Amino acid sequence: MMKRKELAMEQQGKDQSAKAAPQADLDEQALFFHRYPRPGKLEIQPTKPLGNQRDLALAYSPGVAAPCLAIRDNPEAAADYTARANLVAVVSNGTAVLGLGNIGPLASKPVMEGKAVLFKKFAAIDVFDIEIAAETVDSMVSTIAALEPTFGGINLEDIKAPECFEVERQLREKMNIPVFHDDQHGTAIIVAAAILNGLELAGKNIENVKIVTSGAGAAALACLNLLVSLGAKRENIWVHDIEGLVYDGRNVLMDPWKEIYAQKSDKRLLAESIGGADVFLGLSAAGVLKPELLEQMAEKPLIMALANPTPEIMPELARAARPDAMICTGRSDFPNQVNNVLCFPYIFRGALDCGATTINEEMKMAAVKAIAGLAREEISDVAARAYADETPVFGPNYLIPSPFDPRLILRIAPAVAKAAAESGVAARPIADFDHYLDQLSRFVWRSGFVMKPIFTSARAAEKKRVIFSEGEDERVLRAAQVLLEEKTGVPVLIGRPSVIEARLQRFGIRIRPNVDFEVVNPEDDPRYRDYVDEYLSLVGRAGINPETARTIVRTNNTVIGALAVKRSDADALICGVEGGFDRHLRDVSQIIGKRKGVCAFSSLSLLITQKGPVFFTDTFVNDNPTHEEIAEITILAAQEIRRFGIVPKAALLSHSNFGSRDSESARKMRAALEIIRQRAPDLEVDGEMQAGSALSESLRKRAMPNSDLSGEANLLVFPNLDSSNISLGLVRTMMDALHVGPILLGAAQPAHILSTSVTSRGVVNMAALAVVEASHTDFAAIS
């Protein structure tokens, strides 16, 4: 035992030395990050157009008088006519900034800007960071309370104890909007969720456990208050600070908030009171918890060592002393990170959306239970990608969800809004939670709004079998689970059963092969001979002999999947998660073939930007299509776009703007337009035009006042593969747009070849689209 401890301590020293070395480099990078390309991390963007005199008249004088008077007559109307209902103030006086202490309000501004960025990134909440030169309770309260007309909520940040307690208390009494001191309650909510799950794993009940704390500041006391609300007994809580045990009769460094936890005891030291403790809660200083003290704790102890950057005990030391311990820290390089970003954006999201007048205990407890419950679910693919090693599953090393889990907002915000309504503090209770979840899902996935008609159609359709060539890939396994959970389609996975089973277990995915879904084993499938014969009948005159055919059908999963669709053993094919696009297209072309009347395969890509959906074609297949092929591609793309419930508006792009140049490519696009107008007279289309004209009606009208295209084009048709693929990559990267596709056009049966960078959600999106295609009789011929 001692040898293990010595080795752990030696390793701890090495780790600290290694981490100290790059600190200067990290500081330099951070300074550069905050300074360039422009100082700071925030900017303000208008949400309404201001392009002409009428816009200005509506946005400001005289038009702005109308909403002003509406709000005067009904203050609740501010939520309808202003940004107040989605605007939070992050307020600090800089007296307790991170581990830097009282550095003042101005020096705290980078932290508050960072908090604002987190609100926006994780919950789409707008924030003004407000740093105030006010250190007394009265000055802070008067300053912050005066901000109520501007904001829908107040997030207090980095205010030292004990002033922070009184400031929050008075503000909650004075203000009719949520006031939330995140240093207290954010930490408390995450800690409480971790403790609930840790006690469940240990088989213990919160009413009976002994809790020993090191630290009695704002966060520690808030944690204890919330644990008491959840059932912990005050007589079982032992609080220590720099003066030792908080005991009955102590006069040094005492305040009313600590006094609640004063014990009637002659013990004074942490070492004297830790015996038999089930939970150690540390919010104090590095190295406070010695390894020998852990040996006195109860069976399966829960150690919350949350001091940053160095915890009260390093996890390696704790594990060496107590292998049965469950350990949480505040650091991202260890499991079970207690990170406030897990909750504060989503608590405010739920509170703002229901017009909560405060954030009460019921709302906080709802958040605790939502976070604890999410940790017990299978981890999402987005969260899983944040881990370099095996995907964590609920257990001692995964008591709380990853901060990267996009489902946090879907669990916490509705739970908080429901609790607000049930406890009577919601001014605008949410009437339709299904609709509310749908709105949140749109924000989470960004594809939610555009993909909703597809998923609605897929769920309503007769269940179709979607076969996945790369059935052993983690993204496909996760997509299969989503398809089953959402009842979108029936997954069929090509892969080795033993590998699929092992990876399902490794990634914590609960679906099981040949129980929840079918597995096609390429090494041993009873249909093998039939598939070989079918393959030979299709490609036997293309240089493939029987021996080669047998090898290909045994080793090429895309060939197997395409044959399954061809033979009606599956309804749609998804491939391309691994390998080159051209190789997969060759197999699809040889086996499934082109739709009747279609001259060539092509592809369509959807980019979901902040401004809305835009479709690009042809982004993956044809190097330099003819004018006939461009016309065909445009008509096929328009048919596909209609499946999304979107009316296509096509722009044939060129360097020429309505005849301004007479190059070969410009003539090609003009010729394509004539064919499209003949074959698809109902399609709104025009060209040839420059990209600016396609996306700006005002620019287009200057060049062509009588254009057949109205508004902004949503289908951009390019003259060749270079221009389309380059444009797709540029727009996708520069606008941080979500890519759906590529969508293969022209196949005789539903088949899609994805890119190797696709996410699990991208696989789900394309599988749902394939289900819809397989369900429609129009998947037969070009119109």
Side-chain angles (χ1 to χ4, degrees), residues 607-614 695-696 712 735 737:
L607 287 186
I608 301 172
T609 72
Q610 296 297 329
K611 294 183 66 176
V614 183
L695 298 176
S696 170
E712 296 182 7
M735 297 189 69

PDB file of all heavy atoms in Angstrom, residues 607-614 695-696 712 735 737:
ATOM      1  N   LEU A 607     -26.744  22.940 -47.028  1.00  0.00           N
ATOM      2  CA  LEU A 607     -26.074  23.656 -45.944  1.00  0.00           C
ATOM      3  C   LEU A 607     -27.122  24.413 -45.144  1.00  0.00           C
ATOM      4  O   LEU A 607     -27.907  25.185 -45.704  1.00  0.00           O
ATOM      5  CB  LEU A 607     -25.034  24.644 -46.475  1.00  0.00           C
ATOM      6  CG  LEU A 607     -23.741  24.068 -47.033  1.00  0.00           C
ATOM      7  CD1 LEU A 607     -22.768  25.194 -47.373  1.00  0.00           C
ATOM      8  CD2 LEU A 607     -23.090  23.098 -46.062  1.00  0.00           C
ATOM      9  N   ILE A 608     -27.142  24.170 -43.841  1.00  0.00           N
ATOM     10  CA  ILE A 608     -28.063  24.883 -42.960  1.00  0.00           C
ATOM     11  C   ILE A 608     -27.266  25.988 -42.274  1.00  0.00           C
ATOM     12  O   ILE A 608     -26.425  25.726 -41.413  1.00  0.00           O
ATOM     13  CB  ILE A 608     -28.701  23.934 -41.950  1.00  0.00           C
ATOM     14  CG1 ILE A 608     -29.449  22.821 -42.687  1.00  0.00           C
ATOM     15  CG2 ILE A 608     -29.648  24.683 -41.026  1.00  0.00           C
ATOM     16  CD1 ILE A 608     -29.960  21.726 -41.798  1.00  0.00           C
ATOM     17  N   THR A 609     -27.517  27.205 -42.679  1.00  0.00           N
ATOM     18  CA  THR A 609     -26.792  28.360 -42.162  1.00  0.00           C
ATOM     19  C   THR A 609     -27.671  29.116 -41.174  1.00  0.00           C
ATOM     20  O   THR A 609     -28.844  28.793 -40.986  1.00  0.00           O
ATOM     21  CB  THR A 609     -26.397  29.304 -43.305  1.00  0.00           C
ATOM     22  OG1 THR A 609     -27.578  29.967 -43.795  1.00  0.00           O
ATOM     23  CG2 THR A 609     -25.756  28.538 -44.459  1.00  0.00           C
ATOM     24  N   GLN A 610     -27.096  30.140 -40.562  1.00  0.00           N
ATOM     25  CA  GLN A 610     -27.878  30.972 -39.647  1.00  0.00           C
ATOM     26  C   GLN A 610     -29.016  31.678 -40.375  1.00  0.00           C
ATOM     27  O   GLN A 610     -30.029  32.031 -39.783  1.00  0.00           O
ATOM     28  CB  GLN A 610     -26.963  32.004 -38.976  1.00  0.00           C
ATOM     29  CG  GLN A 610     -25.889  31.406 -38.089  1.00  0.00           C
ATOM     30  CD  GLN A 610     -26.444  30.650 -36.903  1.00  0.00           C
ATOM     31  OE1 GLN A 610     -27.501  30.987 -36.387  1.00  0.00           O
ATOM     32  NE2 GLN A 610     -25.739  29.620 -36.459  1.00  0.00           N
ATOM     33  N   LYS A 611     -28.871  31.868 -41.683  1.00  0.00           N
ATOM     34  CA  LYS A 611     -29.903  32.545 -42.464  1.00  0.00           C
ATOM     35  C   LYS A 611     -30.938  31.579 -43.017  1.00  0.00           C
ATOM     36  O   LYS A 611     -31.977  32.007 -43.521  1.00  0.00           O
ATOM     37  CB  LYS A 611     -29.252  33.319 -43.619  1.00  0.00           C
ATOM     38  CG  LYS A 611     -28.372  34.465 -43.174  1.00  0.00           C
ATOM     39  CD  LYS A 611     -27.823  35.226 -44.362  1.00  0.00           C
ATOM     40  CE  LYS A 611     -28.922  35.927 -45.136  1.00  0.00           C
ATOM     41  NZ  LYS A 611     -28.386  36.745 -46.244  1.00  0.00           N
ATOM     42  N   GLY A 612     -30.668  30.279 -42.942  1.00  0.00           N
ATOM     43  CA  GLY A 612     -31.608  29.307 -43.466  1.00  0.00           C
ATOM     44  C   GLY A 612     -30.936  28.291 -44.359  1.00  0.00           C
ATOM     45  O   GLY A 612     -29.712  28.288 -44.522  1.00  0.00           O
ATOM     46  N   PRO A 613     -31.733  27.401 -44.986  1.00  0.00           N
ATOM     47  CA  PRO A 613     -31.159  26.330 -45.796  1.00  0.00           C
ATOM     48  C   PRO A 613     -30.801  26.787 -47.209  1.00  0.00           C
ATOM     49  O   PRO A 613     -31.524  27.565 -47.828  1.00  0.00           O
ATOM     50  CB  PRO A 613     -32.284  25.294 -45.831  1.00  0.00           C
ATOM     51  CG  PRO A 613     -33.545  26.097 -45.712  1.00  0.00           C
ATOM     52  CD  PRO A 613     -33.195  27.278 -44.846  1.00  0.00           C
ATOM     53  N   VAL A 614     -29.678  26.293 -47.719  1.00  0.00           N
ATOM     54  CA  VAL A 614     -29.263  26.534 -49.095  1.00  0.00           C
ATOM     55  C   VAL A 614     -28.779  25.203 -49.661  1.00  0.00           C
ATOM     56  O   VAL A 614     -27.985  24.495 -49.028  1.00  0.00           O
ATOM     57  CB  VAL A 614     -28.138  27.586 -49.188  1.00  0.00           C
ATOM     58  CG1 VAL A 614     -27.789  27.862 -50.649  1.00  0.00           C
ATOM     59  CG2 VAL A 614     -28.532  28.874 -48.505  1.00  0.00           C
ATOM     60  N   LEU A 695     -28.442  35.546 -54.399  1.00  0.00           N
ATOM     61  CA  LEU A 695     -28.747  35.632 -52.968  1.00  0.00           C
ATOM     62  C   LEU A 695     -29.267  36.997 -52.539  1.00  0.00           C
ATOM     63  O   LEU A 695     -29.636  37.179 -51.381  1.00  0.00           O
ATOM     64  CB  LEU A 695     -27.494  35.278 -52.162  1.00  0.00           C
ATOM     65  CG  LEU A 695     -26.967  33.847 -52.378  1.00  0.00           C
ATOM     66  CD1 LEU A 695     -25.674  33.632 -51.618  1.00  0.00           C
ATOM     67  CD2 LEU A 695     -28.005  32.817 -51.978  1.00  0.00           C
ATOM     68  N   SER A 696     -29.302  37.960 -53.455  1.00  0.00           N
ATOM     69  CA  SER A 696     -29.800  39.293 -53.122  1.00  0.00           C
ATOM     70  C   SER A 696     -30.775  39.747 -54.199  1.00  0.00           C
ATOM     71  O   SER A 696     -30.386  39.974 -55.352  1.00  0.00           O
ATOM     72  CB  SER A 696     -28.645  40.287 -52.999  1.00  0.00           C
ATOM     73  OG  SER A 696     -29.135  41.608 -52.910  1.00  0.00           O
ATOM     74  N   GLU A 712     -34.690  35.238 -52.371  1.00  0.00           N
ATOM     75  CA  GLU A 712     -33.357  34.641 -52.420  1.00  0.00           C
ATOM     76  C   GLU A 712     -33.442  33.226 -52.983  1.00  0.00           C
ATOM     77  O   GLU A 712     -34.334  32.457 -52.612  1.00  0.00           O
ATOM     78  CB  GLU A 712     -32.737  34.592 -51.020  1.00  0.00           C
ATOM     79  CG  GLU A 712     -32.479  35.954 -50.417  1.00  0.00           C
ATOM     80  CD  GLU A 712     -31.828  35.857 -49.045  1.00  0.00           C
ATOM     81  OE1 GLU A 712     -31.471  34.731 -48.641  1.00  0.00           O
ATOM     82  OE2 GLU A 712     -31.681  36.898 -48.380  1.00  0.00           O
ATOM     83  N   MET A 735     -19.219  30.053 -42.634  1.00  0.00           N
ATOM     84  CA  MET A 735     -20.478  30.335 -41.943  1.00  0.00           C
ATOM     85  C   MET A 735     -20.780  29.305 -40.863  1.00  0.00           C
ATOM     86  O   MET A 735     -21.855  29.345 -40.261  1.00  0.00           O
ATOM     87  CB  MET A 735     -21.628  30.381 -42.957  1.00  0.00           C
ATOM     88  CG  MET A 735     -21.491  31.480 -43.987  1.00  0.00           C
ATOM     89  SD  MET A 735     -22.988  31.679 -44.995  1.00  0.00           S
ATOM     90  CE  MET A 735     -24.130  32.326 -43.786  1.00  0.00           C
ATOM     91  N   ALA A 737     -21.649  26.335 -41.126  1.00  0.00           N
ATOM     92  CA  ALA A 737     -22.934  25.763 -41.534  1.00  0.00           C
ATOM     93  C   ALA A 737     -22.937  24.260 -41.344  1.00  0.00           C
ATOM     94  O   ALA A 737     -21.897  23.598 -41.415  1.00  0.00           O
ATOM     95  CB  ALA A 737     -23.224  26.109 -42.993  1.00  0.00           C
TER      96      ALA A 737
END
